[in-house]
Amino acid sequence: MTDIPTDTFTDVLGGPPAAKVIVDETEALAVAAALAEEFRPGASARDAERRLPRAEVDRLSASGLLAVTVPAAYGGADVSQETLAEIFRLLASADASLAQIPQSHFAYVNVLRRQGTPRQREFFFGELLAGRRFGNAQSEAGTRHVQDIRTRLEPRLDGSYLLDGVKHYATGALFADWIPVLARAEEDALHVAFVPRDAPGVTVIDDWDGLGQRTTASGTVRLERVRVPGDRVLPHHLTFEGPQLHGASAQLLHAAIDAGIAAGALAEAAEFVRTKSRPWFESGVETAAADPLLIQRFGELALQVRASEALLREAARAVDRAGDALTDDSAAEASIAVAAAKVQAAQAALEVASALFEVSGTRAALGSLNLHRHWRDARTHTLHDPTRWKLQHIGRYTLNGTRPPRHGLL
C-alpha cells in the first residue's frame, strides 16, 4: 500500500468478482428465501465440524444481497430497513452463523452513506456492487468498556495515516475484502479506516472458540503500522453529533438474527415431534403431535415467535419512517422500537431454543443430532448487547419521555 497515492482511489484488490445486481425489494426477498433454503441443509454439519462457510459467503456475495442497501443514485436497490431485516431473519432461520457474518458489513455501508464524501461513496459502493465484502474490526478486549477504543490512527505529513491496534470479536474479517477499523485519531475523535484484508501489517487470526455461532470466525485482528491513505478514513464521530439511526439500524439486524433463530428452532422442534418423538403413555394418543399438552406448549412458543416477528417489522418501519424525516424525536422513537424488538427477539430465541428439548423428548439431547446448536447460537448472539439496559431506556422513555443516548448501541 505504500505506493498508493492518498488522493486517488485505486482498486487494490484485483479484478472484481462476479456479482448479480438486485434491482428491487421483491427480488431481494426472493433471493434471500432461496439462499436460506440452500444453506439450511448443511447448517448443522458446518456447526458440528466448525467448517467455515467460505463457499456460502461467496454465494451471498454473488447473489447481490450484500449490495442491496447501496443507494439508487449509485446503482443499488436501496431496499428499506423492513426488507433488510427480513433478509437477515430468513438467513438466520437457516444458519445463524451465516446471518451474523454480514451484520457489520451493512453497518459500515450506513457509515459510508452518512459520512462518506461523494468520491468515497462512488468508489466503495462500486466495490459492493461488484461483490466485495466488508468485515469489521471494532471491539477491543481488556479495556474499561466496549466504547474504550485504543486503536490509533497516527497522521503523517503526506495526508495518510499509520494504524496500530488489536481488535477482538472481528466477525466477518476473515471473509472480508475490506476491513473497516474503528480507531482514534486527532483529539481522540473516532474514525473508521477502510483497510484491505491483505494489506501489509494486517493479520486476521481465526481464534474464535465461542460455544455458539461457531462458524462466524469472530477472531482477532492485529494492525501493525498499517498504512492507510487519507481518502479511506471517515469521521465516524460526526455520526453522533445529531439525530442518527446508526445504532437503531445495527441493532435491528441483531434483533432479526434472534428472531430468525427462534423461528428456526421452532420449525425444527415441530418437525422432530411430528416425525421422531413418541407420545407420553398417559396421553392416550397415538402420536406425539396429537398430545394436547404438547399442542398447548407449541401454541405458547408460536406466540413468542410471532411477537418477535411483529415487533421486528414494527421497529423496521419506525427506522424507515425516521430515515424519511430524521429528527431527535423520530430517531428516539426508532431506537426505542428497535430496543423493544431486540428484547422480545432475544427472549424468544432463548426460550424456544431451550424448549425444543422439552417438547421433543430425551432423544433430542443426543449430541449427534446437534439440536443444541440453536440454543448455543441464541445464548451466544444475545450476549452482544445487554437487554437489561434496553429495558432501562424503554422505561425512561415511556415514563419520563427521556430520549435514548446517541452512543450507537441503541
Side-chain angles (χ1 to χ4, degrees):
M1 284 182 60
T2 56
D3 60 348
I4 297 174
T6 61
D7 60 349
T8 303
F9 285 99
T10 306
D11 185 348
V12 299
L13 300 176
K20 178 180 176 60
V21 176
I22 289 174
V23 299
D24 59 26
E25 309 208 358
T26 299
E27 183 181 12
L29 289 171
V31 170
L35 283 180
E37 291 310 305
E38 177 183 328
F39 296 154
R40 193 183 311 278
S44 179
R46 284 191 295 272
D47 172 87
E49 301 165 14
R50 198 179 178 271
R51 188 169 73 244
L52 298 183
R54 297 182 186 277
E56 289 77 13
V57 173
D58 285 344
R59 286 282 292 122
L60 274 177
S61 291
S63 76
L65 277 184
L66 299 185
V68 293
T69 58
V70 169
Y74 294 88
D78 200 8
V79 303
S80 66
Q81 291 296 294
E82 184 177 0
T83 292
L84 186 62
E86 179 62 6
I87 289 170
F88 269 77
R89 192 195 68 81
L90 287 167
L91 294 175
S93 73
D95 187 330
S97 286
L98 260 174
Q100 179 60 33
I101 289 168
Q103 189 272 337
S104 290
H105 169 99
F106 285 97
Y108 285 104
V109 176
N110 284 341
V111 173
L112 280 163
R113 290 180 65 129
R114 186 173 175 95
Q115 300 302 339
T117 66
R119 293 181 65 248
Q120 286 172 325
R121 293 172 189 157
E122 181 179 4
F123 174 77
F124 281 111
F125 291 156
E127 289 285 275
L128 296 175
L129 291 169
R132 305 292 190 202
R133 298 189 287 264
F134 293 161
N136 98 88
Q138 301 179 129
S139 295
E140 300 177 13
T143 56
R144 292 181 301 119
H145 50 70
V146 70
Q147 292 204 318
D148 182 14
I149 302 297
R150 301 183 184 181
T151 298
R152 303 298 305 187
L153 275 167
E154 177 188 331
R156 292 162 54 90
L157 292 178
D158 64 359
S160 68
Y161 294 86
L162 287 178
L163 181 62
D164 284 282
V166 179
K167 299 290 189 175
H168 299 269
Y169 312 113
T171 303
L174 194 68
F175 308 102
D177 298 296
W178 293 91
I179 303 177
V181 181
L182 279 187
R184 303 283 180 185
E186 300 93 329
E187 299 180 354
D188 274 349
L190 194 63
H191 288 68
V192 176
F194 284 77
V195 178
R197 160 71 178 80
D198 59 356
V202 176
T203 306
V204 181
I205 306 168
D206 179 21
D207 57 359
W208 171 242
D209 65 348
L211 66 88
Q213 294 194 293
R214 298 183 66 230
T215 61
T216 59
S218 302
T220 301
V221 174
R222 296 187 180 276
L223 306 147
E224 300 175 291
R225 310 300 283 171
V226 180
R227 173 84 181 280
V228 184
D231 55 16
R232 300 218 183 103
V233 177
L234 280 71
H236 192 34
H237 59 99
L238 298 179
T239 299
F240 309 104
E241 292 188 1
Q244 51 81 34
L245 297 171
H246 178 78
S249 297
Q251 291 294 307
L252 181 70
L253 300 187
H254 283 306
I257 292 169
D258 290 339
I261 292 172
L266 184 62
E268 188 145 12
E271 176 66 15
F272 195 94
V273 169
R274 285 194 300 265
T275 61
K276 297 181 176 65
S277 295
R278 297 183 296 178
W280 184 245
F281 71 95
E282 292 178 286
S283 67
V285 297
E286 292 297 317
T287 66
D291 183 335
L293 298 182
L294 280 181
I295 291 171
Q296 174 76 16
R297 187 65 176 127
F298 269 94
E300 294 167 352
L301 297 175
L303 281 179
Q304 290 286 341
V305 173
R306 286 172 176 264
S308 69
E309 292 172 354
L311 283 175
L312 181 69
R313 288 191 295 271
E314 179 183 317
R317 291 166 184 169
V319 175
D320 283 325
R321 287 194 300 270
D324 291 336
L326 188 58
T327 65
D328 285 328
D329 287 337
S330 66
E333 181 58 35
S335 289
I336 293 300
V338 172
K342 182 66 172 70
V343 171
Q344 172 61 31
Q347 291 174 350
L350 289 168
E351 180 178 352
V352 176
S354 177
L356 183 156
F357 301 97
E358 169 198 335
V359 297
S360 299
T362 307
R363 186 181 175 190
L366 293 176
S368 59
L369 297 178
N370 199 26
L371 294 177
H372 49 72
R373 74 185 183 280
H374 298 290
W375 183 86
R376 290 187 288 103
D377 285 342
R379 182 65 282 174
T380 301
H381 185 258
T382 55
L383 297 175
H384 270 87
D385 306 279
T387 56
R388 60 187 179 273
W389 275 100
K390 296 187 187 302
L391 288 167
Q392 280 285 311
H393 292 302
I394 294 169
R396 293 171 184 173
Y397 184 76
T398 303
L399 184 60
N400 299 314
T402 304
R403 295 188 188 114
R406 297 171 175 166
H407 52 45
L409 295 174
L410 194 69

